[in-house]
């Protein structure tokens, strides 16, 4: 069996960001030159590089070595002491001298005392973090629960060797590649080049979107601080801290994207984390993908989502029978409605029949040509339709396991998993059922 090597991870301490310094440095940047003097793809990359270069100057950044099965309280001091203890124990066994055994016991006892103190310090750190509502979010809470449930705080979320098509894959790199191939295969469609059927077209339409600075600023302020970063490492906390400065350059960048019908390639890349669902962990089909996308790209999606959703609601396009992904509605409401209908039917002596459909891999297998045809039918046309066409095309993903990343591969179908617009696009796709 191949033993997976430790990997390095960059840790950003967002809670200690020097906001004043960060904002002052951002004010000095010539954003117009960055946003307008290159292609759309290059401009998006330059924005990210400039933003993150300044951010790293304004907060503590360190690189840590992550070892599999390390207890979460482990640090470099304890690790070095354990190495020293093991060497002394090996030497004492070889020589069997009283002095060597005495030296080993002295270091062993010191290691035990340091581990006890380190565990106490670690619990104090968790307590301080949990007491700060600005730092401790819902995901942090569940991570803390998992820490106490797991034996000795060791991360048990390790993917074992994977069996697939008669082969067994051991290293994290191999597992990442085979899982990425499996996830991509779930988005493969037959007959994807078929011509969509003719659909009745609505008279109402929305052709263009121009975002104001206030729209972008409000969208930034409403971002969730607990969301993880995408491949570009831009965190929502950084965007929120600098909202007053970057709202205007971002609005220019977003409007250029909408005007040129181009969604930058850097925002189309997803890093996928495989999450075990149920059943044997050795089988690929027992994992589901959790995609991490660029926070900047999702910010643009949020702005577009608001405009498109308002258009759909104003024109009563989304069926009233739909409860999923609708603000202010829920599947609980739908369940209550069904229950009421059943009770009413029983009271009246009416026969009641129900048909339930479970669409396999529903989000993963949305047909792009069919979706674009339905977008046009509901009135999304012109530049906005062309923008959606580019938004859906050439999306790439790589699966990441313990620091090892698979090859980037194109996703041929489906609405982007983990995106803001994905659920709304899916509602439009199934709206006429």
């Amino acid at each position: 069996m191949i033993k997976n090597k430790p990997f390095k991870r960059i840790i950003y301490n967002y809670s200690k960001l020097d906001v004043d310094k960060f904002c002052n440095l951002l004010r000095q940047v010539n954003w117009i030159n960055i946003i307008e003097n290159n292609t759309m793809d290059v401009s998006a990359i330059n924005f990210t590089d400039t933003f993150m270069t300044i951010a790293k100057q304004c907060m503590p950044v360190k690189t840590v070595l992550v070892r599999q099965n390390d207890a979460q309280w482990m640090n470099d001091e304890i690790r070095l002491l354990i190495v020293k203890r093991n060497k002394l124990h090996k030497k004492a066994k070889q020589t069997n001298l009283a002095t060597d055994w005495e030296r080993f016991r002295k270091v062993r006892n010191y290691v035990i005392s340091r581990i006890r103190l380190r565990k106490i310090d670690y619990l104090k750190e968790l307590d301080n973090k949990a007491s700060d509502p600005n730092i401790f979010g819902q995901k942090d809470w569940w991570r803390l629960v998992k820490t106490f449930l797991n034996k000795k705080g060791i991360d048990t979320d390790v993917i074992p060797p994977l069996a697939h098509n008669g082969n067994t894959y051991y290293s994290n790199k191999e597992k990442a590649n085979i899982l990425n191939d499996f996830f991509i295969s779930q988005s493969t469609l037959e007959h994807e080049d078929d011509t969509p059927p003719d659909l009745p077209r609505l008279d109402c339409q929305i052709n263009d979107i121009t975002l104001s600075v206030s729209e972008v600023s409000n969208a930034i302020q409403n971002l969730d601080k607990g969301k993880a970063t995408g491949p570009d490492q831009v965190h929502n906390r950084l965007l929120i801290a600098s909202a007053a400065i970057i709202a205007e350059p971002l609005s220019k960048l977003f409007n250029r994207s909408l005007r040129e019908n181009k969604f930058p390639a850097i925002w189309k890349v997803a890093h996928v984390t495989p999450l075990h669902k149920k059943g044997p962990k050795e089988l690929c089909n027992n994992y589901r993908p959790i995609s991490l996308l660029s926070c900047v790209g999702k910010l643009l999606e949020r702005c577009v989502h608001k405009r498109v959703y308002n258009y759909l609601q104003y024109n009563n396009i989304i069926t009233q029978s739909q409860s999923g992904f609708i603000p202010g509605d829920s599947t609980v409401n739908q369940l209550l409605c069904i229950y009421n209908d059943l009770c009413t039917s029983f009271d009246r002596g009416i026969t009641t029949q129900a048909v339930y459909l479970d669409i396999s891999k529903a989000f993963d297998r949305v047909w792009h040509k069919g979706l674009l045809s339905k977008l046009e039918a509901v009135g999304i046309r012109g530049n906005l339709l062309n923008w959606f066409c580019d938004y859906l095309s050439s999306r790439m993903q790589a699966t990441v396991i313990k620091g090892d990343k698979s090859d980037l591969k194109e996703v041929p179908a489906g609405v982007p998993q983990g995106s803001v617009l994905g659920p709304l696009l899916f509602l439009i796709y199934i709206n006429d059922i």
Side-chain angles (χ1 to χ4, degrees):
M1 181 181 293
I2 298 175
K3 185 178 180 180
N4 292 307
K5 298 179 180 179
F7 64 95
K8 293 183 179 180
R9 175 176 291 166
I10 300 176
I11 303 297
Y12 300 94
N13 194 338
Y14 301 106
S15 62
K16 294 186 178 180
L17 175 70
D18 188 336
V19 177
D20 291 336
K21 179 181 178 181
F22 184 44
C23 292
N24 287 333
L25 290 175
L26 289 174
R27 287 190 185 96
Q28 300 172 23
V29 176
N30 185 351
W31 293 110
I32 300 299
N33 181 55
I34 290 175
I35 292 169
E36 296 183 356
N37 292 345
N38 291 289
T39 65
M40 189 66 225
D41 282 334
V42 174
S43 293
I45 292 172
N46 289 345
F47 175 88
T48 299
D49 290 345
T50 303
F51 188 80
M52 286 306 299
T53 298
I54 293 175
K56 291 174 184 178
Q57 299 174 26
C58 304
M59 63 179 170
V61 181
K62 64 179 180 180
T63 302
V64 297
L65 191 66
V66 181
R67 293 174 171 84
Q68 282 196 20
N69 298 330
D70 256 0
Q72 296 187 15
W73 45 260
M74 182 68 71
N75 60 19
D76 289 340
E77 178 200 3
I78 302 296
R79 197 174 286 111
L80 290 173
L81 285 172
I82 290 175
V83 171
K84 182 178 180 180
R85 178 203 64 189
N86 293 342
K87 286 183 178 179
L88 290 174
H89 183 250
K90 183 178 180 180
K91 182 179 179 181
K93 287 178 67 177
Q94 290 175 341
T95 64
N96 205 25
L97 296 175
T99 53
D100 288 338
W101 280 112
E102 179 63 26
R103 191 178 305 160
F104 158 70
R105 293 188 187 97
K106 185 177 180 180
V107 173
R108 179 198 61 189
N109 293 339
Y110 181 67
V111 170
I112 292 172
S113 66
R114 289 303 302 159
I115 288 176
R116 287 173 179 168
L117 291 173
R118 174 56 193 150
K119 287 181 178 180
I120 294 173
D121 290 340
Y122 175 69
L123 292 175
K124 288 180 179 179
E125 292 170 5
L126 289 178
D127 181 53
N128 292 333
K129 185 177 180 181
S131 301
D132 189 345
N134 294 321
I135 298 176
F136 203 73
Q138 186 179 35
K139 289 184 178 179
D140 298 299
W141 190 88
W142 284 110
R143 193 178 295 116
L144 179 60
V145 171
K146 183 178 178 181
T147 298
F148 288 114
L149 291 177
N150 287 344
K151 184 179 179 181
K152 297 182 180 180
I154 292 175
D155 181 13
T156 57
D157 189 21
V158 177
I159 298 177
L162 293 175
H164 189 66
N165 292 338
N167 297 316
T168 304
Y169 302 89
Y170 295 96
S171 72
N172 284 334
K173 180 72 173 180
E174 290 177 328
K175 288 185 281 189
N177 272 309
I178 198 63
L179 280 170
N180 197 55
D181 290 343
F182 173 74
F183 294 147
I184 292 290
S185 71
Q186 302 306 298
S187 297
T188 302
L189 299 179
E190 298 178 7
H191 318 298
E192 62 177 301
D193 293 327
D194 286 359
T195 302
D198 291 331
L199 300 171
R201 291 161 58 97
L202 300 181
D203 293 333
C204 56
Q205 59 182 305
I206 176 172
N207 297 315
D208 296 284
I209 291 178
T210 302
L211 302 172
S212 66
V213 176
S214 61
E215 278 183 281
V216 176
S217 179
N218 290 336
I220 294 174
Q221 296 295 347
N222 291 323
L223 291 174
D224 185 352
K225 292 182 180 180
K227 291 294 184 180
T229 62
D232 59 5
Q233 296 299 307
V234 178
H235 199 284
N236 281 344
R237 290 183 183 179
L238 299 176
L239 295 173
I240 294 171
S242 59
I245 295 91
I246 64 165
E248 183 174 356
L250 273 180
S251 66
K252 293 182 183 297
L253 185 64
F254 292 170
N255 283 327
R256 183 184 173 192
S257 169
L258 292 163
R259 188 173 60 251
E260 296 182 5
N261 314 320
K262 177 67 177 176
F263 193 79
I266 188 177
W267 300 342
K268 294 182 181 181
V269 178
H271 278 179
V272 173
T273 300
L275 183 66
H276 178 250
K277 297 183 294 183
K278 59 182 180 179
K281 286 190 172 184
E282 296 79 15
L283 302 179
C284 291
N285 56 359
N286 288 332
Y287 290 85
R288 66 182 179 94
I290 302 297
S291 296
L292 299 178
L293 296 166
S294 165
C295 289
V296 182
K298 288 199 292 184
L299 180 62
L300 172 55
E301 290 187 54
R302 188 177 298 274
C303 296
V304 174
H305 179 283
K306 183 177 180 180
R307 290 288 196 93
V308 174
Y309 179 76
N310 288 343
Y311 162 79
L312 296 172
Q313 288 295 97
Y314 180 79
N315 293 284
N316 296 316
I317 294 173
I318 297 294
T319 173
Q320 295 299 311
S321 300
Q322 179 59 251
S323 293
F325 312 114
I326 301 294
D329 203 343
S330 69
T331 51
V332 174
N333 291 345
Q334 193 175 60
L335 181 60
L336 291 172
C337 180
I338 294 173
Y339 178 72
N340 180 71
D341 290 345
L342 288 172
C343 292
T344 302
S345 297
F346 284 134
D347 290 342
R348 295 177 180 176
I350 301 172
T351 300
T352 302
Q353 296 177 329
V355 177
Y356 294 89
L357 301 177
D358 184 4
I359 307 174
S360 176
K361 305 295 180 182
F363 273 49
D364 296 330
R365 291 179 178 165
V366 169
W367 180 31
H368 286 172
K369 290 180 69 174
L371 173 59
L372 292 169
S373 177
K374 291 193 175 186
L375 287 173
E376 185 176 16
V378 300
I380 298 174
R381 298 165 193 152
N383 280 338
L384 186 56
L385 181 64
N386 293 331
W387 183 87
F388 272 114
C389 181
D390 187 79
Y391 169 82
L392 292 169
S393 67
S394 304
R395 301 196 72 96
M396 309 293 288
Q397 75 172 40
T399 297
V400 183
I401 300 177
K402 303 293 183 182
D404 282 315
K405 185 170 66 173
S406 72
D407 300 329
L408 270 175
K409 292 197 173 180
E410 185 173 349
V411 183
V415 293
Q417 205 265 356
S419 66
V420 177
L421 283 168
L424 183 61
L425 292 175
F426 181 73
L427 290 188
I428 295 172
Y429 190 64
I430 66 169
N431 190 56
D432 54 1
I433 287 181

